[in-house]
Amino acid sequence: RSLTQEDWQKPRDKMLKTCNQCHSINFASQQLTQGDNMIRDADHLMAEAIRIVAGLYKDGLLPKPANYTYPFPDLLTFHDAPTVIEQKLFVMYLEHRMRTFQGTFHANPDYALWYGWSEMQRDLTEIKSLAADYRDKAKESAKR
């Protein structure tokens, strides 16, 4: 785990040194930066999905697990996910975000796109649809 900038930078410098054996340092740095950008974009998708589920907790439309002490889903409790929308969120994080990361940083853009990024987009679409269903059902119940 990288807790400091220095700890985080060491393996990156090692990677750049390795890449520089065959490629220019500028090319290697550019590839690393592109990977960082891809992961940042993937994390924006994750953040949107997390906020959607947290909004359902906040509005009382989705029961928040009793062991949660903060307003957001705990992405490490996937094995206890009681609802389909939470299960979808956990798969988005644990499987599809990881595939985006692995494909991006193992020079496999096809894998990163088709098995990572595209699946994350699909997950987010499903999460939005499920959240809309929760909200529609709550409106219907309120009318009665």
Side-chain angles (χ1 to χ4, degrees):
R1 252 189 163 145
S2 300
L3 299 177
T4 66
Q5 177 68 28
E6 184 179 277
D7 289 341
W8 180 81
Q9 190 63 46
K10 281 180 187 178
R12 292 173 69 86
D13 289 342
K14 183 179 177 182
M15 185 185 313
L16 288 172
K17 186 176 177 182
T18 300
C19 295
N20 191 224
Q21 292 174 17
C22 300
H23 304 283
S24 74
I25 197 71
N26 288 337
F27 175 81
S29 294
Q30 180 187 29
Q31 295 302 305
L32 205 53
T33 298
Q34 287 177 351
D36 293 341
N37 292 339
M38 177 65 145
I39 299 308
R40 183 177 39 254
D41 290 345
D43 285 347
H44 283 286
L45 295 179
M46 279 306 314
E48 185 175 352
I50 290 167
R51 283 191 299 271
I52 289 168
V53 173
L56 293 173
Y57 290 158
K58 179 182 176 195
D59 296 341
L61 302 176
L62 187 66
K64 183 177 155 189
N67 60 333
Y68 286 12
T69 57
Y70 45 92
F72 299 100
D74 183 347
L75 295 177
L76 299 178
T77 61
F78 62 93
H79 45 78
D80 294 329
T83 66
V84 173
I85 194 169
E86 289 167 299
Q87 290 169 2
K88 179 57 66 177
L89 179 68
F90 299 140
V91 168
M92 182 181 185
Y93 176 66
L94 294 168
E95 186 175 338
H96 300 142
R97 185 195 175 276
M98 183 52 70
R99 287 179 178 173
T100 303
F101 178 85
Q102 290 168 330
T104 297
F105 286 106
H106 287 94
N108 193 338
D110 192 53
Y111 185 83
L113 175 67
W114 291 111
Y115 299 103
W117 177 262
S118 296
E119 291 297 323
M120 289 184 74
Q121 289 283 5
R122 184 183 306 191
D123 294 333
L124 182 57
T125 299
E126 289 180 39
I127 287 168
K128 287 177 178 179
S129 178
L130 290 166
D133 289 348
Y134 274 99
R135 294 192 180 284
D136 288 346
K137 286 177 186 172
K139 286 179 187 174
E140 282 298 315
S141 293
K143 289 180 183 178
R144 294 179 193 158

